[in-house]
């Protein structure tokens, strides 16, 4: 199982990715979680990333590529993974394609295009997202940053939906329903064809 979870901030990517990863016994790899841990630990990477995260901006692609490359090479990523929050830009997706050729579980010497990868988009309207994010209370969940994160998503991440649609790797799910309903639908769409 090789899954990418896409969707705007507040769409429920993290919750659903964690539930399915537990169920399928594969790692849930959240670049946001990795970055937040680096910020708390005050590592050089965390120090560089913090200002971007606090402002609702994307952390520069180069930093993300190093993080993901290192994480994907860990032994637990061999049997598959759910990536949550990566790739988030077209250059990240292109980099990920080349990485998929090399990493364990990546499918061997093929391009990302040929891998058994699926990209899930959780679709949720903006007004629902803002309400959800304001009630979450994370440090970067104030109204100004939320607005900026949604704008950054539309500009830089949404083009990836077409990228994966063109390759027939896109799975679209309505995320504006209860957590249980979304999980059930994801299980139905994703299991069986892995
Ligand atoms: P998330 O927990 O996925 O909402 O990510 C929180 C913040 O971490 C984002 O607003 C970005 O600043 C940063 N971040 C996480 N993943 C990425 C990524 N793939 N590319 C750039 N920045 C990222």
């Amino acid at each position: 199982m090789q899954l990418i979870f896409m969707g705007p901030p507040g769409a429920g990517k993290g919750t659903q990715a964690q539930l399915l990863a537990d169920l399928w016994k594969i790692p849930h790899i959240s670049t946001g979680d990795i970055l937040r841990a680096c910020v708390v630990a005050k590592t050089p990477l965390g120090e560089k990333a913090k200002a971007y995260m606090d402002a609702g901006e994307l952390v520069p692609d180069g930093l993300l590529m190093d993080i993901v490359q290192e994480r994907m090479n860990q032994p637990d990523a061999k049997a598959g993974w759910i990536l949550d929050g990566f790739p988030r830009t077209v250059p990240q997706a292109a980099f990920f394609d080349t990485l998929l050729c090399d990493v364990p579980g990546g499918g061997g010497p093929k391009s990302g295009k040929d891998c058994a990868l699926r990209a899930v988009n959780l679709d949720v309207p903006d007004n629902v997202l803002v309400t959800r994010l304001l009630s979450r209370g994370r440090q970067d969940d104030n109204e100004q940053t939320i607005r900026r994160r949604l704008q950054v998503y539309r500009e830089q991440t949404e083009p990836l939906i077409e990228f994966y649609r063109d390759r027939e790797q896109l799975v679209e799910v309505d995320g504006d329903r209860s957590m249980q309903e979304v999980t059930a639908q994801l299980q139905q769409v994703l299991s069986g064809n892995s």
Side-chain angles (χ1 to χ4, degrees):
M1 190 66 83
Q2 298 170 4
L3 289 179
I4 289 170
F5 267 52
M6 300 190 297
K13 299 185 295 291
T15 308
Q16 297 295 343
Q18 186 64 59
L19 277 164
L20 294 176
D22 288 347
L23 199 71
W24 293 327
K25 301 192 174 22
I26 51 176
H28 164 213
I29 301 175
S30 155
T31 48
D33 285 351
I34 295 172
L35 286 166
R36 278 185 288 278
C38 293
V39 171
V40 170
K42 294 195 158 54
T43 66
L45 177 68
E47 302 278 289
K48 282 187 206 145
K50 188 177 185 318
Y52 295 99
M53 297 170 75
D54 286 346
E57 301 292 338
L58 293 184
V59 173
D61 286 339
L63 298 181
L64 266 296
M65 292 172 185
D66 288 346
I67 292 176
V68 170
Q69 181 153 23
E70 198 194 313
R71 183 64 188 86
M72 299 294 288
N73 277 308
Q74 306 282 314
D76 69 339
K78 232 184 164 114
W81 26 260
I82 301 184
L83 262 174
D84 159 16
F86 184 93
R88 244 175 164 108
T89 64
V90 173
Q92 288 180 15
F95 161 80
F96 192 56
D97 270 356
T98 62
L99 186 65
L100 276 179
C101 305
D102 304 330
V103 295
K110 300 184 283 185
S111 75
K113 199 172 167 188
D114 302 320
C115 289
L117 178 76
R118 271 167 303 163
V120 177
N121 181 40
L122 284 180
D123 196 26
V124 179
D126 273 9
N127 60 331
V128 177
L129 294 172
V130 173
T131 312
R132 282 189 190 176
L133 289 168
L134 282 173
S135 67
R136 193 165 70 172
R138 212 169 71 186
Q139 196 191 329
D140 56 350
D141 282 340
N142 63 75
E143 193 150 1
Q144 194 188 353
T145 311
I146 288 171
R147 235 180 279 121
R148 180 63 192 146
R149 275 163 46 217
L150 285 173
Q151 193 184 5
V152 165
Y153 172 78
R154 301 286 174 219
E155 288 168 6
Q156 301 194 51
T157 308
E158 217 166 45
L160 291 182
I161 294 176
E162 287 312 312
F163 179 93
Y164 290 110
R165 196 200 312 275
D166 282 350
R167 288 168 29 163
E168 299 180 0
Q169 290 175 324
L170 184 70
V171 174
E172 289 190 276
V173 170
D174 176 9
D176 188 17
R177 290 177 298 167
S178 74
M179 195 178 84
Q180 291 82 354
E181 284 173 306
V182 177
T183 310
Q185 160 110 55
L186 285 167
Q187 277 184 269
Q188 192 192 342
V189 190
L190 295 171
S191 53
N193 324 284
S194 60

